[in-house]
Amino acid sequence: MENDATSVSSEGEGYRKIIAAAEKLFADHGFDAVSMHAIATDAGISKANIYHYFPNKDALYLAVLQSAAASLRALLQAAVDKSGTASEALHHFAVNHLQHLLARPRLVRLFLREMLEKGEPRARDLADAGLADLFASLVQILQLGQERGELRKDFDPALVTTMLLGANVIFFQSLDLLRQYPTVTFVDRPEEYDRAMVEVLLRGIRNRSEP
Amino acid sequence: MENDATSVSSEGEGYRKIIAAAEKLFADHGFDAVSMHAIATDAGISKANIYHYFPNKDALYLAVLQSAAASLRALLQAAVDKSGTASEALHHFAVNHLQHLLARPRLVRLFLREMLEKGEPRARDLADAGLADLFASLVQILQLGQERGELRKDFDPALVTTMLLGANVIFFQSLDLLRQYPTVTFVDRPEEYDRAMVEVLLRGIRNRSEP
DNA sequence: ACCGATACTGACTCGTCGGTCAGTCTAGCA
DNA sequence: TGCTAGACTGACCGACGAGTCAGTATCGGT
């Protein structure tokens, strides 16, 4: 045996092709809508070969989630930069974060899908683990800004963190939808969206000093 | 024939039981994970009977979405109250909106699921139609506030609308997740969350006059 | 009492699904 | 050259999926 779906280490050619195909299909259509045959075909191998690497469909799915979680986590964590003022850090993060979401839509959809699943926690913890760090980092940035006197002290950092992440996720999730609203001008210009979004947010939480 | 899945009118006992069961199961597990047999069992009827009302599984799904869209739309539209100041209207809406989301989690998940579907637009337009009204109403509230001088004129109403809806949706969507973060105190207190959220937002967009 | 239409069912077809298996092909090594 | 281990395959299996069908129960109108 080569891999029991709990290790996340380096693997051969076939293994990678399977993961890649599975990631694509699972993200686009969901677990139940994707057959092992479809994955095999997309990967250019035989269905039976998948079972050489993974004991069953669930294990494959889990492996995909794990691999996705790892790369997403690294990607997003890289957007955190605690240097400079809280305002700068927030803006910098927001733009980078959204950029990463838009660059890896499949990975993101994979986890958004997972969040909607009821009953089976499947691999909820995976998504959580990655997000927890991110969340904590942002909260920290805000707290620092509060201690420094740059930001007001009467707001909950976790709340604003939720708002900022939420604003980005909703933008990502509703792109197609927003595109149809005539009053919406910021689609196709995510940096512009984030600039304005952070501006509103900052005006709401910054201590009154500069105009 | 009784219904061709495009009319949304009053129907008999069996029809309602089928829709109810299907709505529950589809929302909890997704289209592909739910079998017609499961729906029939849950509704307490025979599988074949479903085909008396609906030509196939897709039609049933569509009917469920339609029914859900109708009630969600009515529910959410009722949260819009354009009287009073823009600040009041926004706060009032936010609280009511989130309350409705939390009260009808299945309907909401049904549409969030739909939004993640790639390729097949299935019934995307349905979700859209309902949301478009809502979106327009909020934008209108904000614009009115701008004209009255209550709100600043240098922000995009559509942006703030997105932020507000996004904040609520993300709260709804990430409840379980947020619950695990020790720094988050506002879970289980949605009104508190919305109060603080709208406060931040308003401070960001209100004209400086009152403290 | 009878009729027609609607509500409903159990038993079936048939395709596809996840998963297995017996065996081939290839590469490294003795 | 021969042996072995891992990579890989086509053919197959039982289970279960959507959808069909022939027929029965129910009921309002005549």
Side-chain angles (χ1 to χ4, degrees):
Chain A
M1 144 212 29
E2 161 112 11
N3 187 333
D4 59 344
T6 60
S7 72
V8 200
S9 46
S10 61
E11 302 297 338
E13 179 66 11
Y15 182 88
R16 262 186 293 272
K17 285 199 291 186
I18 294 171
I19 290 280
E23 178 193 302
K24 182 175 85 179
L25 294 173
F26 281 144
D28 284 354
H29 310 291
F31 181 83
D32 296 282
V34 174
S35 72
M36 294 300 259
H37 175 77
I39 295 172
T41 301
D42 194 274
I45 56 161
S46 73
K47 183 178 66 155
N49 193 14
I50 300 181
Y51 288 90
H52 175 66
Y53 293 99
F54 306 95
N56 51 50
K57 192 182 179 184
D58 281 282
L60 169 59
Y61 185 67
L62 201 72
V64 167
L65 281 186
Q66 261 168 311
S67 135
S71 48
L72 245 197
R73 184 174 186 163
L75 214 63
L76 295 185
Q77 203 56 241
V80 175
D81 173 14
K82 295 172 186 166
S83 69
T85 66
S87 307
E88 286 166 357
L90 274 193
H91 179 251
H92 174 262
F93 170 80
V95 172
N96 273 274
H97 179 244
L98 185 53
Q99 218 162 60
H100 288 325
L101 294 189
L102 292 172
R104 293 268 187 287
R106 290 209 300 262
L107 299 190
V108 179
R109 284 222 303 287
L110 215 43
F111 286 104
L112 288 178
R113 266 225 164 70
E114 206 57 24
M115 284 163 72
L116 288 178
E117 230 55 48
K118 192 166 192 181
E120 322 157 55
R122 203 126 48 176
R124 185 88 61 97
D125 37 350
L126 277 180
D128 296 8
L131 256 182
D133 286 1
L134 204 66
F135 202 92
S137 296
L138 276 188
V139 167
Q140 206 184 326
I141 289 178
L142 288 166
Q143 278 173 339
L144 210 69
Q146 286 181 316
E147 289 165 16
R148 280 196 200 137
E150 181 188 351
L151 304 180
R152 305 167 119 267
K153 293 203 167 72
D154 63 350
F155 71 90
D156 179 351
L159 172 88
V160 175
T161 297
T162 306
M163 289 177 71
L164 192 145
L165 291 177
N168 271 351
V169 171
I170 221 68
F171 182 87
F172 170 87
Q173 200 170 358
S174 317
L175 254 188
D176 301 355
L177 211 145
L178 285 172
R179 216 182 296 274
Q180 297 168 357
Y181 294 54
T183 52
V184 176
T185 61
F186 47 76
V187 208
D188 306 317
R189 286 196 264 105
E191 346 72 35
E192 177 59 23
Y193 170 79
D194 264 350
R195 214 213 79 256
M197 185 267 283
V198 172
E199 192 183 310
V200 168
L201 229 45
L202 276 178
R203 224 202 306 272
I205 62 176
R206 193 153 41 187
N207 253 331
R208 306 189 171 189
S209 45
E210 60 260 282
Chain B
M1 146 210 28
E2 161 113 11
N3 187 333
D4 60 343
T6 59
S7 73
V8 201
S9 44
S10 60
E11 301 296 339
E13 179 66 11
Y15 183 88
R16 263 187 293 272
K17 285 199 290 186
I18 294 172
I19 290 279
E23 178 193 302
K24 181 175 86 182
L25 294 173
F26 281 144
D28 284 353
H29 310 290
F31 181 83
D32 296 283
V34 174
S35 72
M36 294 299 260
H37 175 76
I39 295 172
T41 302
D42 193 275
I45 56 160
S46 74
K47 183 177 65 152
N49 192 17
I50 300 181
Y51 288 90
H52 175 66
Y53 293 99
F54 305 95
N56 51 49
K57 192 181 179 183
D58 280 283
L60 169 57
Y61 185 67
L62 201 73
V64 167
L65 281 186
Q66 260 168 310
S67 135
S71 49
L72 246 195
R73 186 174 185 163
L75 215 62
L76 295 184
Q77 203 56 241
V80 176
D81 174 12
K82 294 172 186 164
S83 70
T85 65
S87 308
E88 287 165 356
L90 274 193
H91 179 253
H92 174 262
F93 170 80
V95 172
N96 272 275
H97 178 245
L98 185 52
Q99 217 162 63
H100 288 324
L101 294 189
L102 293 171
R104 292 269 187 287
R106 291 208 302 260
L107 300 190
V108 179
R109 284 219 305 286
L110 215 42
F111 286 104
L112 289 178
R113 266 223 165 74
E114 207 56 25
M115 286 184 172
L116 289 177
E117 231 56 48
K118 193 168 191 179
E120 322 158 54
R122 204 128 44 177
R124 186 88 63 98
D125 38 350
L126 276 180
D128 297 10
L131 257 181
D133 286 0
L134 205 65
F135 201 93
S137 296
L138 276 188
V139 167
Q140 206 184 326
I141 288 177
L142 288 166
Q143 278 173 339
L144 209 69
Q146 286 181 317
E147 288 164 16
R148 280 197 201 135
E150 182 189 351
L151 304 181
R152 303 167 119 268
K153 293 205 167 71
D154 63 351
F155 73 89
D156 181 350
L159 172 89
V160 176
T161 297
T162 306
M163 289 177 69
L164 193 145
L165 291 178
N168 272 352
V169 171
I170 223 66
F171 182 87
F172 170 87
Q173 200 169 357
S174 316
L175 253 188
D176 301 355
L177 212 145
L178 286 172
R179 216 182 297 273
Q180 298 168 356
Y181 295 55
T183 53
V184 176
T185 62
F186 47 76
V187 208
D188 305 319
R189 285 195 266 107
E191 345 72 37
E192 178 59 24
Y193 170 80
D194 264 350
R195 215 213 77 255
M197 185 266 284
V198 171
E199 192 182 309
V200 168
L201 230 45
L202 276 178
R203 226 202 305 274
I205 62 176
R206 194 153 38 186
N207 251 332
R208 306 189 171 189
S209 45
E210 60 260 282

